[in-house]
Amino acid sequence: MSVTAPPATRPATGGPDLTRAALSGRRRFTNHLATAAIWGAVLLAVIPLALVAYTVIGKGAGVMSLSFLTEDIPNSYRREGGGMAPAIIGTLVITGAAALMAIPLGVFGAIYLNEYGKQKPLARVIRLMADVMTGVPSIVMGLFVYISWVLLVGQQTGFAGALALACLMLPVVIRSSEEMLRLVPEELRQASMALGARKWKTTLTVVLPAAISGITSGSLLAVARAAGETAPIIIVTGIVFTPNWNLFDGSNTALPAQIFRNASTSFPAAQDRAWGAALTLIVIVLSFTVIARFISSRFAIKER
């Protein structure tokens, strides 16, 4: 009786290796595709920004001069020359006053929400109101300040503009600062309190220095938004052609209001002043950002 041997099977050649190679190639393709998508998104964001910056610098640089920064605003849109000194002073004074009101109050509110309030009913109400105020149009805030302050005082003032801008800045500072405080590891708080520090001391010396960079970024976003607002300034501050350093007496003006008024006309001289005012506003906001970044970095280093 003969026994037939089973046919020899051909050994698989490189089965696992081929699978790993296919997976590796698929991962490389996915990685390249994701990288290309990220760079495409970056280009979509950078190209419009670059075009805006190129246009503003190209048209505003020809107007910029020492006289443009120091002379009064012409009382006629037809007149050539003149400057934006009253609007520059008004922007600095009004935005500075709004920041002095909104940033400390917003940071204190964020500290309460994250360190003390947690999920208490009052904390929930504050978060809800902050979220609602974030979506309120600036024109509505301007009308609110006009009814509640301008009509009560009887005149348009720079302080009314600062109040309107502070109301717009406050919810942004509260929510951004709270998110930055949430990112501070809980272990840092526990370690500080284990060494005998009270909660307020821990918050002041441990939590705030750890979150100061993010809080500064959120505050700068709020300042940048406030510095570019036009509707509240037009409604509650009025208009002037000479500098007014007094927030509580007399009308005032700011660069966004002058950009709107001059750009809305058909006179070339007024449109040139609008481009110069736009470039000046960008430089002011950029300067605020650089100064605040430097101060926050020095503060953080000192605390460490």
Side-chain angles (χ1 to χ4, degrees), residues 82-218:
M84 284 289 160
I88 295 173
I89 293 173
T91 299
L92 295 175
V93 172
I94 294 173
T95 306
L100 287 177
M101 290 186 286
I103 293 177
L105 186 59
V107 173
F108 289 152
I111 291 174
Y112 168 76
L113 293 177
N114 191 72
E115 303 297 324
Y116 296 93
K118 304 293 183 180
Q119 295 300 321
K120 294 180 180 178
L122 179 59
R124 293 181 180 179
V125 171
I126 294 175
R127 289 191 185 95
L128 176 62
M129 295 304 298
D131 292 338
V132 171
M133 288 179 63
T134 303
V136 172
S138 59
I139 185 68
V140 175
M141 200 65 70
L143 290 174
F144 169 74
V145 174
Y146 183 83
I147 295 172
S148 60
W149 178 263
V150 175
L151 295 181
L152 181 65
V153 175
Q155 64 173 343
Q156 295 173 311
T157 60
F159 184 71
L163 281 177
L165 297 185
C167 292
L168 293 171
M169 293 171 60
L170 184 59
V172 179
V173 176
I174 290 176
R175 297 301 282 163
S176 61
S177 299
E178 184 187 5
E179 292 301 323
M180 292 302 106
L181 292 173
R182 284 180 180 176
L183 296 178
V184 177
E186 188 65 26
E187 289 78 6
L188 293 179
R189 298 178 177 88
Q190 295 175 359
S192 177
M193 298 181 72
L195 293 174
R198 295 183 179 273
K199 192 173 184 62
W200 69 268
K201 187 72 172 179
T202 300
T203 302
L204 184 63
T205 60
V206 177
V207 178
L208 279 179
I212 189 64
S213 179
I215 292 175
T216 302
S217 299

